């Protein structure tokens, strides 16, 4: 399904009473859903992000996971940040961008800036919600407020007549010229609390920021049916080397065995591969468990990349099954094993379910995408977290976790595009191993 989301938000006072509006349209312009709400006292940018989040949720409700969506907003800030071209400099926007990004990754989203006059439906909804809140009521679809003369206001009763002016673009804007904007209370121009550009505000003629320069030089061409036009954030997913538990095919979760000599050699082989072209690792992110950290340290010694430890990337907790073989579990816990194999939401006795692990892994993924946008990240982890990251990239159901196999020290890879689908480019590659 091809959908269009138009979203907006505004604040009367910036910060002041704020609201958002969003509309979901079919490709032919038919309105399929609309939503709006007041959010209390907030800034323009916060309201705009809230409008985006509401619009993405509505698109999921209409089209479901995997629907193709073009998001259109007149907020240059939100569009550029969500497309990964501008950094998120204010911490108050970061959790909103994180939530929007999580929703967007369930869809096939492209990001498009439009002039304010082409975003009238979402702008009207935002103002209707603010007007309703000012009157002590709640916005309802199809009941726009009226002016004192009894006629419907195109921007809500409290909105003054629109005027068109010429506004200078933000420093470093790709437009390189002035562009028309409509002045009204929810306009996000001249936002005083947040950075509107990827460059310092004091340098109108400054060179592009390092992040923009690097993204241009590291542009990645996407595969698949659509050609993403922005830089990928690349996840290289390396499973740790062999341990005594993997030799005996025992469940190894939060237990902390070390690498065997063979496992150490596998880590070195992976390090040799990853330290040579075409790989160029910017940062290594490791599970806190020793088998993963030892593998990560081998790669760091060859590449010079720093290591960050992410606790959510640890292996799933197998509870009472830790250290047991599949045969032993089948003998002692036959009913529990059957339930566990049938439903990813069922945990082992005293352990953690795959559904619970998915929540922490997906949250860690979203943080990494925000903090290392456009970079190449080596994630050294375990079977379950790596399978989860692959499943999410493929938009596959949770049951797909049971249908993937990952060898020790195997390499998988996912490219995350802000304006295109995630692309799995490797799965269980062991060509570097002897």
């Amino acid at each position: 399904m091809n959908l269009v989301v138009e979203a907006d938000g505004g604040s009367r006072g910036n910060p002041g009473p704020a609201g958002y509006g969003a509309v979901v349209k079919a490709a032919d312009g038919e309105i399929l859903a609309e939503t709006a709400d007041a959010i209390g006292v907030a800034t323009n940018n916060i309201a705009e992000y809230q409008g985006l989040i509401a619009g993405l949720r509505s698109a999921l409700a209409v089209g479901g996971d995997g629907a193709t969506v073009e998001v259109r907003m007149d907020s240059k800030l939100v569009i550029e940040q969500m497309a990964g071209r501008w950094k998120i400099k204010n911490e108050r926007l970061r959790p909103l961008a994180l939530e929007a990004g999580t929703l967007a990754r369930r869809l096939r989203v492209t990001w498009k800036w439009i002039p304010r006059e082409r975003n009238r439906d979402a702008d009207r909804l935002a103002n209707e919600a603010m007007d309703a809140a000012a009157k002590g009521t709640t916005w309802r679809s199809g009941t726009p407020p009226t002016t004192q003369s009894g006629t419907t206001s195109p921007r809500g009763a409290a909105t003054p007549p629109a005027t068109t002016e010429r506004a200078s673009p933000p420093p470093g804007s790709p437009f390189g010229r002035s562009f028309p904007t409509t002045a009204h209370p929810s306009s996000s121009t001249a936002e005083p609390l947040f950075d509107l550009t990827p460059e310092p505000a004091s340098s109108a003629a400054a060179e592009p920021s390092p992040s923009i320069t690097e993204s241009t030089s590291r542009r990645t061409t996407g595969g698949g049916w659509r050609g993403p036009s922005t830089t990928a954030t690349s996840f290289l997913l390396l499973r740790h080397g062999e341990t005594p538990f993997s030799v005996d095919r025992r469940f190894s979760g939060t237990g902390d065995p070390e690498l065997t000599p063979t496992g150490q050699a596998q880590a070195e082989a992976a390090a040799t591969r990853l330290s040579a072209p075409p790989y160029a690792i910017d940062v290594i992110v490791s599970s806190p468990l020793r088998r993963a950290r030892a593998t990560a340290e081998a790669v760091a010694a060859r590449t010079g990349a720093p290591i960050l430890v992410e606790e959510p990337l640890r292996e799933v907790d197998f509870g009472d099954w830790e250290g047991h073989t599949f045969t032993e579990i089948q003998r002692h816990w036959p009913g529990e094993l059957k339930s566990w194999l049938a439903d990813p939401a069922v945990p082992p006795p005293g352990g953690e379910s795959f559904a619970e692990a998915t929540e922490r892994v997906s949250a860690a993924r979203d943080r990494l995408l925000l903090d290392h946008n456009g970079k190449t990240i080596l994630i050294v982890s375990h079977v379950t977290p790596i399978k989860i990251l692959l499943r999410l990239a493929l938009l596959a159901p949770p049951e797909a976790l049971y249908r993937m196999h990952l060898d020790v020290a195997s390499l998988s890879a996912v490219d995350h595009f802000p304006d295109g689908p995630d692309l799995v480019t490797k799965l269980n590659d062991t060509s570097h191993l002897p």
Side-chain angles (χ1 to χ4, degrees):
M1 180 177 289
N2 294 322
L3 302 174
V4 172
V5 168
E6 296 172 1
D8 199 9
S11 169
R12 293 170 178 168
N14 198 31
Y20 67 76
V23 58
V24 179
K25 298 180 179 180
D28 62 2
E30 177 189 1
I31 293 179
L32 305 176
E34 58 181 18
T35 182
D37 202 1
I39 58 173
V41 175
T43 64
N44 286 328
N45 291 157
I46 288 176
E48 288 161 347
Y49 261 111
Q50 293 283 16
L52 170 62
I53 290 168
L56 292 172
R57 286 175 177 164
S58 295
L60 283 165
V62 171
D65 285 20
T68 298
V69 177
E70 181 177 81
V71 173
R72 301 172 182 173
M73 298 182 68
D74 57 67
S75 171
K76 189 71 175 167
L77 175 78
V78 174
I79 289 295
E80 293 299 316
Q81 287 181 345
M82 292 306 300
R85 293 184 288 267
W86 288 8
K87 291 182 178 180
I88 300 171
K89 297 183 179 180
N90 192 287
E91 291 302 318
R92 283 174 286 185
L93 295 185
R94 188 173 292 272
L96 296 173
L98 185 66
E99 183 176 358
T102 299
L103 294 168
R105 274 183 283 279
R106 294 172 58 188
L107 301 160
R108 300 177 183 275
V109 177
T110 55
W111 306 96
K112 183 177 181 180
W113 176 87
I114 58 174
R116 181 163 297 281
E117 58 267 22
R118 290 176 54 194
N119 202 29
R120 291 174 180 170
D121 288 329
D123 175 75
R124 169 183 54 80
L125 292 169
N127 278 285
E128 287 177 7
M130 287 185 278
D131 292 340
K135 295 179 180 180
T137 61
T138 302
W139 176 87
R140 292 184 179 181
S141 178
T143 57
T146 57
T147 63
Q148 292 180 351
S149 63
T151 59
T152 301
S153 167
R155 295 184 179 275
T159 307
T163 59
T164 302
E165 61 181 18
R166 302 298 292 183
S168 297
S173 165
F175 296 98
R177 55 178 176 82
S178 62
F179 57 93
T181 182
T182 306
H184 62 89
S186 66
S187 173
S188 62
T189 57
E191 166 66 83
L193 297 181
F194 303 114
D195 295 310
L196 289 176
T197 73
E199 292 95 24
S202 60
S203 57
E207 291 296 320
S209 70
S211 63
I212 297 295
T213 302
E214 184 173 15
S215 295
T216 300
S217 63
R218 294 162 51 86
R219 187 170 299 278
T220 305
T221 301
W225 298 111
R226 293 195 302 136
S229 61
T230 55
T231 302
T233 302
S234 296
F235 281 5
L236 300 173
L237 309 173
L238 179 64
R239 187 187 171 194
H240 61 79
E242 180 190 87
T243 72
F245 277 28
S246 59
V247 171
D248 295 336
R249 302 185 68 82
R250 297 183 181 276
F251 278 55
S252 182
T254 55
D256 211 10
E258 295 184 346
L259 297 179
T260 64
T262 297
Q264 293 170 359
Q266 291 169 340
E268 290 295 334
T272 299
R273 175 179 183 175
L274 293 169
S275 62
Y279 303 102
I281 297 169
D282 295 297
V283 64
I284 300 171
V285 179
S286 174
S287 154
L289 299 176
R290 286 187 296 181
R291 56 194 185 272
R293 294 188 65 169
T295 305
E297 288 164 1
V299 180
R302 293 289 190 96
T303 63
I307 297 178
L308 304 177
V309 175
E310 275 279 345
E311 195 279 338
L313 294 177
R314 61 173 172 78
E315 181 57 283
V316 72
D317 184 352
F318 289 113
D320 296 344
W321 295 350
E322 181 75 23
H324 290 278
T325 65
F326 188 88
T327 301
E328 291 170 345
I329 294 169
Q330 199 169 34
R331 183 183 306 125
H332 296 292
W333 293 277
E336 292 90 342
L337 179 61
K338 183 178 180 180
S339 297
W340 180 73
L341 291 173
D343 187 351
V346 173
E352 178 186 26
S353 70
F354 288 151
E356 292 169 324
T358 297
E359 291 185 8
R360 60 176 167 85
V361 171
S362 62
R365 173 202 63 179
D366 292 342
R367 286 196 304 275
L368 293 174
L369 289 172
L370 279 176
D371 292 342
H372 305 285
N373 176 57
K375 305 291 186 179
T376 297
I377 308 166
L378 174 66
I379 297 176
V380 185
S381 188
H382 312 265
V383 168
T384 305
I386 293 175
K387 284 186 177 182
I388 288 171
L389 291 170
L390 291 166
R391 178 186 79 76
L392 293 174
L394 292 167
L395 298 178
E399 292 77 13
L401 294 173
Y402 302 116
R403 297 177 178 269
M404 285 185 271
H405 174 78
L406 297 176
D407 289 302
V408 288
S410 63
L411 184 65
S412 302
V414 179
D415 283 344
H416 298 271
F417 290 92
D419 68 341
D422 294 345
L423 299 177
V424 174
T425 58
K426 288 185 179 64
L427 197 157
N428 197 37
D429 184 347
T430 58
S431 60
H432 51 282
L433 299 179

